[in-house]
Amino acid sequence: MTFFLKVMACFFSYVLLESKTIVITGGAGFIGATVTQNLLKRGDSVIVIDAFLSLDSINGDRYNAMKRERIFTLQQQFPDTLHFYECNIEDKETLRAIFSKYQIDAVCHLAAHAGVRFSMQFPNEVAKTNIEGTINILELMKDYKVKHGVLASSSSVYGNTTQIPFTENQPTDMQSSLYGATKKSLELIAYAYHNLYDLSLTCLRFFTVYGPYGRFDMSPFIFMDAIYHEKPITIYGDGSAIRDFTYIDDIIQGIIKAIDKPAGYQKLNLGAGRTITIKEFISLIGDIVGKEPIISFQESFAADVNMTQASITKAQNLLNYNPQYTVRSGIKLMYEWYKEYENKKNSTVTV
Ligand code: NAD
């Protein structure tokens, strides 16, 4: 009996001491909902802030429906520890009301309009959310004394450099897109808040993330969907551009380690640390789906970059970040999800 009480005391002290309250902005999105799920599973309380926004006029509604469903499912599973707020991060007063309700240990700021092409089509919307929204979050962290934050930056900040692998201390002054410029701005603004208010802020530069529940506007989903439905794929350029594709669970591992480790001001690459050409990537998806890709080529955009490859040494040293997935193993897992998603979509349509 005494032993049982001791075990229970240990368990409760672990839960009470170790579990955290974490705000995740963009927590209904691809990366955000997966981080949320992982934090809830380990016992943290998570406050998700998301406005279900999308600039994707073709697939935005479908993507938002998937995000709503994911949050709904998580709410059913974790009714006591998931607190969801449908709120635009541009709305500072509603954010203030949320921040004032909780004792928050850390913020993981992922909400943004992501994507190079959307930033060409909707420059003002992208700048407003990605820059003004970020300032709102940092202001509230300052006001409510939340000392640690992890912010989503991007490999886009490296622009069209040919100096690979990309290292965190190389110059990032030549942006190829407004999207990249908003992420570079986020890093600069974060430094100012670190300097002025002593916030610990880790900016994570994600390298093309793919996997289950991935964004419909991103190449891994577009390629898989086209190959599965035997539709042509448009490649911008000749397909020799190289990319560091990173499987979602590797990114989540890095984000959670960064949440758990305040480290002053940091910029860190989170990638797989190895590359594949776009043509090889498509052919590998074809191999896993079991169909021959149909490819057509078009001229590349000035905003497209020719190569991305992360040096992950800094994240390895600081966070013990250790990516586990090869592109083949990650694409196989994504395909398992994709088939299920397709079946469900079709059964919904025919009912
Ligand atoms: P996502 O679009 O799936 O998630 C972003 C979420 O933010 C969405 O759920 C959206 O509804 C929400 N959002 C957008 N504007 C908002 C606003 N004004 N107020 C409240 N919520 C808002 O994108 P993702 O792929 O999960 O990306 C997450 C973060 O990582 C973004 O900051 C993105 O720029 C960055 N990033 C992603 C990748 C990648 O490969 N997926 C690469 C580099 C950087």
Side-chain angles (χ1 to χ4, degrees):
M1 186 61 183
T2 330
F3 176 72
F4 174 72
L5 286 176
K6 271 187 187 161
V7 170
M8 290 306 283
C10 273
F11 171 72
F12 283 116
S13 68
Y14 174 79
V15 170
L16 291 175
L17 289 174
E18 300 293 329
S19 74
K20 297 186 177 114
T21 299
I22 297 166
V23 165
I24 313 234
T25 73
F30 168 36
I31 299 174
T34 320
V35 181
T36 298
Q37 184 181 32
N38 278 271
L39 292 175
L40 289 167
K41 272 189 189 162
R42 76 172 191 179
D44 289 339
S45 288
V46 181
I47 300 147
V48 166
I49 297 172
D50 198 299
F52 298 113
L53 297 183
S54 173
L55 297 173
D56 183 350
S57 55
I58 302 168
N59 287 312
D61 289 347
R62 189 158 67 100
Y63 188 51
N64 274 329
M66 184 171 83
K67 290 191 290 189
R68 280 185 191 279
E69 199 185 314
R70 272 191 103 183
I71 284 296
F72 179 75
T73 307
L74 286 173
Q75 280 179 314
Q76 305 295 304
Q77 286 169 349
F78 300 96
D80 300 329
T81 47
L82 172 59
H83 311 277
F84 175 70
Y85 294 91
E86 187 163 344
C87 164
N88 192 317
I89 58 164
E90 292 162 30
D91 175 358
K92 195 170 169 189
E93 287 322 302
T94 306
L95 284 178
R96 183 176 296 286
I98 300 168
F99 271 69
S100 68
K101 270 182 81 170
Y102 301 92
Q103 190 69 40
I104 300 162
D105 296 302
V107 168
C108 176
H109 172 45
L110 303 171
H113 287 303
V116 165
R117 281 188 177 65
F118 296 135
S119 72
M120 292 165 77
Q121 286 175 282
F122 304 100
N124 298 85
E125 287 82 348
V126 169
K128 208 154 187 284
T129 280
N130 295 12
I131 299 176
E132 201 179 311
T134 297
I135 294 172
N136 286 344
I137 296 298
L138 291 169
E139 274 292 305
L140 289 160
M141 285 181 66
K142 175 202 73 178
D143 290 351
Y144 289 91
K145 312 224 172 324
V146 184
K147 282 295 191 186
H148 178 45
V150 171
L151 315 179
S153 183
S154 166
S155 61
S156 298
V157 299
Y158 291 104
N160 220 341
T161 180
T162 51
Q163 194 185 322
I164 54 169
F166 300 165
T167 53
E168 290 86 349
N169 56 3
Q170 79 189 60
T172 50
D173 297 328
M174 310 281 268
Q175 298 304 319
S176 323
S177 68
L178 177 73
Y179 171 64
T182 66
K183 290 298 181 180
K184 171 77 181 178
S185 306
L186 169 145
E187 294 182 353
L188 295 171
I189 293 164
Y191 185 78
Y193 275 78
H194 163 71
N195 177 52
L196 289 169
Y197 308 116
D198 199 25
L199 303 184
S200 149
L201 295 168
T202 302
C203 303
L204 297 175
R205 295 173 173 173
F206 302 143
F207 283 65
T208 326
V209 190
Y210 69 96
Y213 301 94
R215 285 193 351 240
F216 297 162
D217 63 289
M218 287 187 68
S219 60
F221 184 89
I222 293 172
F223 295 158
M224 188 171 283
D225 198 49
I227 293 170
Y228 185 82
H229 291 287
E230 298 173 20
K231 290 187 179 151
I233 291 170
T234 306
I235 295 189
Y236 297 93
D238 63 4
S240 64
I242 62 170
R243 288 283 175 279
D244 189 334
F245 287 100
T246 319
Y247 187 64
I248 181 75
D249 288 6
D250 285 334
I251 288 289
I252 301 306
Q253 180 211 130
I255 294 174
I256 291 181
K257 284 179 170 170
I259 289 174
D260 288 343
K261 185 160 186 183
Y265 175 79
Q266 297 291 340
K267 291 176 287 191
L268 292 179
N269 292 338
L270 283 189
R274 43 145 177 68
T275 58
I276 181 167
T277 68
I278 300 283
K279 263 196 300 201
E280 286 165 345
F281 185 65
I282 291 173
S283 142
L284 193 147
I285 298 177
D287 198 25
I288 287 164
V289 174
K291 293 185 181 179
E292 193 62 38
I294 310 159
I295 300 177
S296 80
F297 293 92
Q298 274 197 19
E299 226 172 282
S300 58
F301 279 75
D304 284 331
V305 297
N306 290 324
M307 48 188 75
T308 66
Q309 183 182 2
S311 158
I312 53 171
T313 310
K314 194 173 168 195
Q316 280 170 326
N317 291 340
L318 191 76
L319 302 178
N320 199 19
Y321 170 66
N322 181 17
Q324 302 287 312
Y325 294 84
T326 61
V327 182
R328 179 171 286 277
S329 61
I331 287 292
K332 270 191 185 163
L333 291 168
M334 179 173 167
Y335 186 51
E336 288 309 309
W337 164 80
Y338 175 84
K339 282 187 292 186
E340 229 175 82
Y341 176 77
E342 269 298 305
N343 286 340
K344 205 166 145 197
K345 191 177 88 185
N346 293 335
S347 65
T348 316
V349 169
T350 50
V351 166

